[in-house]
Amino acid sequence: MAEKKLIEETDDLTLQFDSNGLIPVIAQDADTGCVLMTAYMNRESLDKTIETGFATYFSRSRQKLWKKGEQSGHFQKVKQILVDCDQDCLLLKVTIKAGQCHVGYQSCFYRELDKTNPQKLNPIAKKTFNPEETYK
Amino acid sequence: MAEKKLIEETDDLTLQFDSNGLIPVIAQDADTGCVLMTAYMNRESLDKTIETGFATYFSRSRQKLWKKGEQSGHFQKVKQILVDCDQDCLLLKVTIKAGQCHVGYQSCFYRELDKTNPQKLNPIAKKTFNPEETYK
């Protein structure tokens, strides 16, 4: 518990990476507050993000660094990096120019659970770009 | 890939729980857009959340359902539940009355990485309650 309290109160970055060396990251639009996506970082991708000022994640499926936008041009310019109380999650405040989600939406969270039938999803957004054009 | 596309485009809730039956959840203040915390849900805790209208998570450390606020009184009233493209993360839009983070802050993200020395953290918020009083 002493260690837990230390992590919560310290001004030293003591990130708690998981057993795969990863930490979950939330990207939030710094201008609108819209939560855009979640992804993972390892230490190297965080260093790259700090060094370049653009969000660089670690792709679990491809097992390599992934600069967000490297294919689509939908880069995330990082304004601020926050860490949570137990230092096992990061929150990036980013600015963006265009769509973000590979499906074509601004945010990955483009569907809500239907309030009367929570097994069904309702769209809450329209696509902002055509992924077939962007990822061709 | 066909299955992936289906998950992204379907209006059926087909949550992708991890090997422990859990899914990460972000709680965001519906009024201010402030990201408050992240936690996990299993299917039962999601059902409980839908049924009661109050966020109920699954505590990994205690291995049981955990109604947020059951000790502190800092409940989260759920206004909307969103799911991301690959249905492996939930976003809860919640309204709150008081502090949220057990350390005493409104949000768990109360420290930012220092821009000139990213191994150091700067506070960006003040405590909104005294956890020693709240959790006594």
Side-chain angles (χ1 to χ4, degrees):
Chain A
M1 284 304 274
E3 196 196 353
K4 188 174 179 304
K5 201 161 169 58
L6 189 64
I7 289 172
E8 292 167 353
E9 303 281 1
T10 183
D11 64 354
D12 287 322
L13 184 69
T14 51
L15 288 179
Q16 306 297 300
F17 293 98
D18 70 13
S19 57
N20 295 311
L22 300 176
I23 192 165
V25 183
I26 304 163
Q28 182 180 28
D29 189 313
D31 296 322
T32 66
C34 181
V35 173
L36 299 170
M37 58 176 279
T38 61
Y40 287 83
M41 283 187 178
N42 61 8
R43 182 70 236 191
E44 189 187 357
S45 64
L46 175 59
D47 289 342
K48 204 77 177 170
T49 298
I50 292 167
E51 179 196 323
T52 64
F54 287 93
T56 303
Y57 301 102
F58 183 82
S59 167
R60 291 177 301 165
S61 56
R62 290 177 286 150
Q63 287 286 306
K64 61 172 202 167
L65 293 196
W66 155 48
K67 181 178 179 181
K68 170 67 185 157
E70 63 191 7
Q71 271 191 282
S72 62
H74 299 153
F75 300 105
Q76 296 176 339
K77 195 161 170 48
V78 177
K79 309 306 281 184
Q80 193 180 31
I81 305 175
L82 305 169
V83 65
D84 75 342
C85 45
D86 38 14
Q87 298 212 31
D88 63 1
C89 185
L90 293 171
L91 173 63
L92 266 57
K93 302 279 189 104
V94 302
T95 55
I96 58 174
K97 283 196 180 156
Q100 288 295 299
C101 174
H102 71 285
V103 182
Y105 298 90
Q106 185 78 280
S107 162
C108 293
F109 296 92
Y110 50 84
R111 291 169 294 183
E112 65 167 351
L113 275 62
D114 186 290
K115 287 187 173 66
T116 54
N117 177 4
Q119 284 307 309
K120 283 288 174 188
L121 298 172
N122 297 323
I124 59 155
K126 288 195 189 306
K127 289 189 182 181
T128 58
F129 68 99
N130 181 347
E132 286 177 21
E133 279 294 313
T134 304
Y135 294 99
K136 70 186 169 191
Chain B
M1 285 303 275
E3 195 198 353
K4 188 174 179 307
K5 201 162 169 57
L6 188 64
I7 289 171
E8 292 167 354
E9 302 282 0
T10 184
D11 64 355
D12 287 321
L13 184 69
T14 51
L15 288 180
Q16 306 297 301
F17 292 97
D18 70 12
S19 57
N20 295 312
L22 300 177
I23 192 165
V25 184
I26 305 163
Q28 183 181 28
D29 189 312
D31 295 322
T32 66
C34 180
V35 173
L36 299 170
M37 58 176 279
T38 61
Y40 287 84
M41 283 187 179
N42 62 6
R43 181 70 236 189
E44 189 188 358
S45 64
L46 175 59
D47 289 343
K48 204 77 176 171
T49 298
I50 292 167
E51 179 196 325
T52 64
F54 287 92
T56 302
Y57 301 103
F58 183 80
S59 167
R60 291 178 301 166
S61 57
R62 290 177 285 150
Q63 287 286 305
K64 60 172 204 167
L65 293 196
W66 155 49
K67 180 178 179 181
K68 170 68 185 155
E70 63 191 8
Q71 272 192 281
S72 61
H74 298 153
F75 300 105
Q76 296 176 338
K77 194 163 171 46
V78 177
K79 309 306 281 186
Q80 193 180 31
I81 305 175
L82 304 169
V83 65
D84 76 342
C85 46
D86 38 13
Q87 298 211 33
D88 63 1
C89 185
L90 293 171
L91 173 62
L92 266 56
K93 302 279 189 105
V94 303
T95 54
I96 57 174
K97 282 195 182 157
Q100 288 294 299
C101 174
H102 71 285
V103 182
Y105 297 90
Q106 184 78 281
S107 162
C108 292
F109 297 91
Y110 51 83
R111 291 170 294 184
E112 65 168 351
L113 274 63
D114 187 289
K115 286 185 175 66
T116 55
N117 177 3
Q119 284 306 310
K120 283 288 174 188
L121 300 172
N122 298 324
I124 60 155
K126 289 194 189 306
K127 289 189 181 181
T128 58
F129 69 98
N130 181 347
E132 286 175 22
E133 279 294 310
T134 304
Y135 295 99
K136 71 186 169 190

